[in-house]
């Protein structure tokens, strides 16, 4: 008899040298927006800069403004503790416009800074309210502004007197459209709103500046945004909507062609399409909307028209890869500008000549940076984290396999940094949310998705694109509908078994984690599929499909693109597809974390599962993050989350402990050390 032994080689302290650490993640800077100038020679961009942990007050990342030439020479324009958003070049490239609250301002205003430098200038502010968005006319004379009306001053006084009653989902205020001359106004203004009764969520000028593209929804409710949004043309002179483009389901961005004759828009195939990823075209002379790329085998993520002819550039996601393509109205064939596999792009911006395209893009080795495309060749222009060059990365690749029923599924596999063939490793399966999203083979590491961080600590990491994910067309994205936690989560087990069969993963040392729908998968892995997972970390996840429907802000969207039924249609089925139903059989230690102000998945979803575990003496811990919503946004909360996630996995997958790790982290010691270093 010949016996074959597979060696398991890792320890609780095995961490490779020069790898990504939790502290590294708190220092990652990345490009958040890029806009190429009209002449194509320069680029304005914003960079997201984290607050320093244990030093700066709690808050979101700072967003700073920079200028860049086509050689990659970078100049800081507005830096420090600022938040710059929505940057746009003036029609003559003389100024960069942006929204910001400068100094101690209470409301966001429209600012500009000269290309040649100098201090920023406040251009327009509204009385007692913030500007949420804007669009500049192409002649530099007008600006379209989106904002909510100012609150009645009596409201504050009445609250002080105790009148604080909130009428749920009725006490809503619509966002309105204002057209204002683009000139510096020294005093805050209170312009008249355009006569549009619905909530206005986006606006764009036509090339000749006489018409606006306006996106509306019936109210401020997120469910209305997902299910009832619509694009219109609005005549500026008559102040009337002239055309409404009828689409069904989710709706993305839209834009006029260079001559104003056509409108391209990203939408859904129908109301049951989980994602706005189809490309449509409409003639502005009527309201008819036609498919442009009806059989595209992926999802359209972004687009921009050429400024000189009716050509449209678009970003397409196919499987785990992305490409940049070009379309002509007269030719149905796609011209590939940047082929699949080079990087993961977004945020297209095109110069007037069309010779220069700006993108932000990431790869498996770096976060989003500015890229320039000329002559179908992409050049990276920024390097926001030079220290990443000194870090070692685990091998990252796309893995595809045939599920048990024959469906082809794929995902992203990261090997341990010091992987040795023949050894087996613990696995962290990181499940994306949605499920109408998918993981791409680029930068996949952040505070809640351990990726290269875990690879540096001796883990294999896998990101599954289970059925129902996007990136493979509408039919594939609908495969999980009317089957909560069914074949979609069976795919997770097929992935796990495949990684074990490869000889990479120790079958007894598999953990699962994810947020939102990925949190649902993590809870399902800890309950119904408990025999497959030795540890689970559930983030803003679903535990009870019955109560989830009644406590979320997207119940209509859930019905249309997920459940395709209502709870009262089949109470027992909904209950049996809920992790609480299977909690009694769990043998998987479960760490639950949740933003305390989450409107999408109510924090009570975590409380329910916690109680079901706790009362039955199952190993469980619940951590709430006050002030955070559907995912953590502030650096301290993100850092804390990451430390807890990895300690939970280490405790059960590496150390093999049977008891939970301490609930306390060493924040006090780190604070004292930071204070000492600062004093010195």
């Amino acid at each position: 008899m010949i016996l074959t032994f597979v060696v398991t080689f890792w320890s609780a302290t095995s961490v490779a040298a020069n790898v990504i650490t939790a502290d590294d993640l708190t220092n990652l800077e990345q490009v958040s927006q890029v806009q190429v100038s009209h002449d194509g020679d320069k680029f304005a961009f914003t960079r997201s800069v984290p607050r320093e942990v244990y030093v700066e007050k709690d808050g979101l990342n700072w967003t700073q403004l920079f200028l860049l030439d086509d050689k990659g020479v970078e100049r800081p324009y507005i830096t420090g503790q600022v938040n710059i958003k929505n940057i746009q070049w003036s029609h003559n490239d003389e100024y960069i416009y942006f929204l910001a609250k400068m100094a101690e301002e209470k409301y966001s205003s429209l600012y500009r800074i000269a290309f040649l430098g100098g201090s920023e200038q406040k251009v327009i502010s509204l009385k007692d309210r913030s500007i949420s968005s804007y669009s500049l006319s192409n002649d530099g004379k007008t600006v379209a502004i989106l904002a909510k009306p100012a609150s009645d001053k009596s409201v504050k006084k009445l609250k002080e007197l105790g009148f604080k009653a909130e009428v749920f989902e009725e006490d809503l205020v619509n966002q309105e459209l204002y057209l204002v001359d683009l000139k510096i106004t020294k005093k805050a203004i209170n312009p008249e709103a355009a006569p549009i009764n619905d909530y206005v969520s986006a606006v764009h000028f036509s090339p000749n500046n006489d018409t606006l593209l306006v996106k509306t929804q019936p109210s401020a409710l997120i469910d209305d945004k997902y299910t009832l949004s619509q694009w219109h043309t609005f005549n500026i002179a008559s102040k009337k909507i002239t055309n409404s483009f009828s689409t069904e389901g989710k709706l993305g961005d839209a834009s006029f062609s260079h001559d104003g004759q056509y409108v391209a828009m990203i939408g859904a195939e129908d109301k049951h399409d989980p994602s706005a990823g189809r490309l449509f075209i409409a003639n502005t002379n009527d309201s008819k909307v036609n498919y442009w790329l009806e059989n595209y085998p992926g999802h359209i993520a972004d687009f921009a028209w050429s400024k000189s002819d009716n050509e449209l550039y678009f970003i397409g996601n196919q499987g785990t890869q992305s490409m940049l393509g070009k379309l002509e109205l007269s030719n149905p064939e796609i011209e590939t500008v940047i082929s699949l596999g080079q990087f993961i792009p977004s945020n297209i911006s095109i110069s007037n000549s069309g010779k220069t395209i700006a993108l932000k893009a990431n790869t498996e080795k770096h976060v989003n940076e500015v890229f320039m495309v000329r002559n179908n060749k992409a050049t990276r222009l920024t390097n926001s984290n030079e220290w990443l060059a000194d870090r070692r990365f685990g091998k990252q690749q796309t893995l595809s396999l045939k599920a048990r029923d024959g469906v082809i599924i794929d995902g992203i596999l990261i090997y341990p940094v010091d992987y040795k063939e023949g050894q087996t490793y613990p696995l962290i399966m990181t499940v994306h949310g949605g499920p109408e999203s998918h993981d791409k083979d680029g930068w996949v590491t952040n505070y809640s998705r351990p990726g290269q961080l875990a690879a540096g600590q001796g883990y294999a990491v896998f990101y599954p694109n289970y059925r129902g994910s996007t990136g493979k067309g509408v039919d594939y994205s609908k495969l999980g509908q009317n089957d909560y936690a069914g074949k979609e989560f069976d795919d997770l087990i097929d992935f796990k078994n495949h990684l074990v069969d490869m000889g990479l993963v120790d079958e007894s040392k598999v953990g699962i984690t994810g947020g939102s729908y990925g949190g649902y998968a993590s809870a399902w892995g800890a309950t119904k599929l408990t025999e497959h997972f030795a540890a689970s970390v559930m983030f803003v996840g679903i535990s009870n499909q019955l109560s989830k429907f009644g406590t979320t802000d997207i119940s209509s969207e859930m019905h249309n693109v997920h459940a395709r039924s209502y709870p009262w249609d089949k109470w027992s089925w909904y209950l049996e597809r809920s992790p609480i139903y299977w909690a009694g059989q769990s043998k998987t230690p479960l760490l639950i974390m949740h933003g305390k102000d989450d409107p999408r998945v109510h924090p009570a979803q975590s409380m329910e599962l916690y109680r079901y575990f706790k009362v039955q003496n199952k190993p469980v811990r619940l951590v709430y993050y006050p002030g955070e919503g559907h995912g953590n946004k502030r650096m301290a909360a993100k850092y804390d989350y990451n430390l807890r996630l990895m300690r939970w996995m280490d405790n059960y997958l590496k150390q093999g402990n049977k008891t939970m790790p301490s609930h306390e982290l060493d924040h006090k010691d780190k604070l004292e050390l930071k204070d000492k270093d600062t004093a010195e």
Side-chain angles (χ1 to χ4, degrees):
M1 179 182 294
I2 299 175
L3 298 179
T4 302
F5 293 90
V6 178
V7 180
T8 301
F9 182 77
W10 42 261
S11 69
T13 58
S14 61
V15 178
N18 299 324
V19 295
I20 291 176
T21 67
D23 287 345
D24 284 341
L25 295 185
T26 70
N27 294 318
L28 273 175
E29 302 179 5
Q30 61 178 310
V31 171
S32 48
Q33 185 191 359
V34 58
Q35 291 288 295
V36 65
S37 59
H38 298 293
D39 62 18
D41 293 335
K42 44 196 176 288
F43 308 82
F45 74 93
T46 53
R47 178 178 283 136
S48 177
V49 178
R51 298 189 184 216
E52 188 175 355
V53 176
Y54 302 116
V55 175
E56 293 188 75
K57 290 183 179 180
D58 193 28
L60 305 178
N61 285 7
W62 303 115
T63 308
Q64 303 172 352
L65 177 65
F66 297 81
L67 201 73
L68 187 71
D69 67 18
D70 57 5
K71 302 297 188 297
V73 178
E74 181 180 311
R75 284 190 291 163
Y77 263 46
I78 304 176
T79 59
Q81 297 183 350
V82 294
N83 279 297
I84 308 297
K85 64 178 183 179
N86 197 350
I87 56 173
Q88 297 181 33
W89 286 93
S90 64
H91 71 292
N92 55 9
D93 288 341
E94 185 177 353
Y95 296 98
I96 303 164
Y97 285 82
F98 59 92
L99 296 178
K101 297 177 187 176
M102 304 302 291
E104 300 299 320
E105 289 181 335
K106 186 177 180 181
Y107 302 107
S108 294
S109 298
L110 180 64
Y111 281 84
R112 72 182 186 186
I113 187 169
F115 159 65
L116 296 177
S119 299
E120 68 276 3
Q121 299 172 296
K122 183 186 290 188
V123 181
I124 295 171
S125 60
L126 299 181
K127 189 174 182 180
D128 298 328
R129 56 226 167 102
S130 289
I131 299 173
S132 64
S133 184
Y134 72 98
S135 178
L136 303 177
S137 65
N138 298 288
D139 58 8
K141 296 180 179 179
T142 311
V143 57
I145 290 173
L146 299 184
K148 291 185 177 180
S151 299
D152 190 317
K153 291 184 178 180
S154 65
V155 172
K156 181 179 179 181
K157 180 64 175 177
L158 286 168
K159 284 185 176 180
E160 292 173 351
L161 294 171
F163 295 93
K164 302 176 183 179
E166 297 177 359
V167 183
F168 187 63
E169 291 191 349
E170 291 186 48
D171 191 15
L172 302 174
V173 177
N174 280 345
Q175 186 165 263
E176 297 177 323
L177 168 66
Y178 306 90
L179 286 165
V180 179
D181 290 341
L182 186 58
K183 61 182 181 180
I184 292 178
T185 54
K186 294 183 179 180
K187 292 184 178 181
I189 61 175
N190 194 18
E192 180 182 356
I196 299 175
N197 293 327
D198 290 342
Y199 183 104
V200 183
S201 60
V203 61
H204 303 294
F205 274 94
S206 66
N208 63 3
N209 307 302
D210 63 357
T211 305
L212 295 174
L213 260 181
V214 177
K215 188 181 184 184
T216 67
Q217 60 194 61
S219 77
L221 295 175
I222 190 70
D223 235 353
D224 282 353
K225 173 185 176 182
Y226 282 154
T227 62
L228 298 172
S229 289
Q230 191 171 18
W231 281 103
H232 317 268
T233 53
F234 178 85
N235 184 275
I236 295 175
S238 67
K239 297 182 180 180
K240 292 182 179 180
I241 289 176
T242 53
N243 272 318
S244 295
F245 302 109
S246 179
T247 61
E248 190 178 41
K250 294 181 179 178
L251 192 60
D253 201 9
S255 180
F256 284 107
S257 60
H258 88 286
D259 57 7
Q261 185 176 351
Y262 300 97
V263 171
M265 63 186 76
I266 296 177
E269 183 176 85
D270 53 45
K271 69 178 182 180
H272 300 304
D273 186 347
S275 178
R278 304 292 94 193
L279 184 61
F280 296 92
I281 187 77
N283 192 308
T284 54
N285 293 324
D286 57 41
S287 300
K288 188 176 180 180
V289 179
N290 296 303
Y291 244 132
W292 198 346
L293 283 178
E294 186 169 0
N295 297 314
Y296 184 70
H299 279 76
I300 307 300
D302 193 17
F303 69 88
W305 286 98
S306 166
K307 304 294 178 62
S308 57
D309 49 39
N310 284 335
E311 294 179 336
L312 184 125
Y313 291 82
F314 71 94
I315 292 171
N317 294 324
Q318 296 183 35
T320 63
Q321 306 295 339
S322 301
M323 54 90 72
L324 178 65
K326 185 171 72 171
L327 289 167
E328 297 179 6
L329 283 175
S330 59
N331 186 355
E333 299 299 319
I334 297 172
E335 177 184 335
T336 299
V337 179
I338 300 295
S339 59
L340 293 168
Q342 293 195 37
F343 48 60
I344 307 298
S346 58
N347 186 193
I348 302 178
S349 176
I350 300 179
S351 67
N352 281 349
S353 68
K355 294 181 180 179
T356 303
I357 300 173
L359 304 165
K360 68 176 184 182
N362 64 80
T363 72
E364 65 184 74
K365 295 292 181 67
H366 67 78
V367 295
N368 281 325
E369 302 285 4
V370 176
F371 278 73
M372 175 182 69
V373 178
R374 285 179 178 168
N375 300 317
N376 292 14
K377 179 182 178 182
T379 303
R380 177 180 165 185
L381 296 181
T382 58
N383 188 1
S384 301
N385 307 281
E386 294 183 0
W387 51 269
L388 278 176
D390 297 326
R391 299 296 187 266
R392 295 190 300 133
F393 291 77
K395 176 185 176 183
Q396 181 171 313
Q397 65 183 45
T398 296
L399 182 149
S400 298
L401 70 133
K402 185 180 292 186
R404 65 189 72 176
D405 62 352
V407 173
I408 302 300
I409 51 180
D410 63 32
I412 309 300
L413 173 62
I414 304 177
Y415 288 80
V417 168
D418 288 324
Y419 167 72
K420 292 181 175 59
E421 189 173 355
Q423 296 176 1
T424 60
Y425 297 84
L427 170 72
I428 300 177
M429 183 173 287
T430 304
V431 188
H432 70 70
E436 61 273 22
S437 64
H438 69 284
D439 283 308
K440 307 173 190 68
D441 199 357
W443 184 267
V444 293
T445 304
N446 65 29
Y447 76 98
S448 67
R449 297 163 64 75
Q452 293 290 347
L453 169 72
Q457 298 180 27
Y459 289 93
V461 184
F462 188 70
Y463 295 81
N465 286 327
Y466 49 97
R467 70 189 67 198
S469 302
T470 52
K472 292 186 175 181
V474 176
D475 290 344
Y476 185 87
S477 69
K478 290 181 177 180
L479 287 179
Q481 293 183 358
N482 196 25
D483 191 24
Y484 277 145
K487 292 180 181 178
E488 58 186 6
F489 291 167
D490 289 343
D491 290 345
L492 306 181
I493 305 308
D494 290 350
F495 279 124
K496 176 211 164 182
N497 291 339
H498 182 75
L499 294 169
V500 171
D501 292 342
M502 286 172 56
L504 173 65
V505 169
D506 183 335
E507 187 171 19
S508 67
K509 302 293 181 181
V510 178
I512 185 170
T513 189
S516 193
Y517 211 83
Y520 177 34
S522 302
W524 196 250
T527 55
K528 182 64 166 67
L529 303 176
T530 184
E531 71 272 18
H532 295 282
F533 299 101
S536 176
V537 178
M538 167 187 170
F539 188 33
V540 295
I542 303 160
S543 68
N544 183 345
Q545 288 289 4
L546 290 170
S547 58
K548 163 66 161 51
F549 183 88
T551 56
T552 185
D553 60 355
I554 55 167
S555 53
S556 294
E557 192 259 358
M558 283 175 58
H559 168 74
N560 285 346
V561 306
H562 299 158
R564 301 289 292 272
S565 64
Y566 292 109
W568 48 86
D569 295 330
K570 41 185 182 179
W571 293 102
S572 296
W573 183 88
Y574 272 73
L575 180 59
E576 290 174 12
R577 297 302 175 101
S578 301
I580 58 166
Y581 186 82
W582 305 98
Q585 71 177 26
S586 177
K587 298 178 181 178
T588 305
L590 176 63
L591 172 61
I592 306 171
M593 294 190 274
H594 210 130
K596 213 169 182 179
D597 297 329
D598 187 351
R600 197 73 13 89
V601 178
H602 196 280
Q605 288 290 306
S606 288
M607 177 66 77
E608 283 193 56
L609 191 56
Y610 171 79
R611 287 296 181 210
Y612 275 69
F613 267 60
K614 190 73 172 178
V615 170
Q616 299 182 76
N617 296 314
K618 307 294 182 182
V620 65
R621 174 170 294 150
L622 173 59
V623 179
Y624 278 135
Y625 290 97
E628 297 291 350
H630 197 56
N632 293 352
K633 293 185 177 181
R634 295 165 179 82
M635 183 50 67
K638 291 194 286 188
Y639 184 53
D640 183 276
Y641 181 99
N642 183 258
L643 295 177
R644 293 183 188 279
L645 163 67
M646 293 309 300
R647 187 175 63 173
W648 195 262
M649 295 299 182
D650 287 348
N651 185 69
Y652 293 106
L653 305 185
K654 282 188 174 184
Q655 299 162 14
N657 293 331
K658 301 300 182 183
T659 58
M660 292 192 296
S662 170
H663 71 279
E664 295 179 329
L665 296 176
D666 57 351
H667 291 314
K668 179 181 177 182
D669 293 339
K670 291 180 178 179
L671 175 61
E672 291 175 349
L673 183 60
K674 180 69 74 170
D675 288 343
K676 181 180 178 181
D677 290 343
T678 302
E680 293 176 352

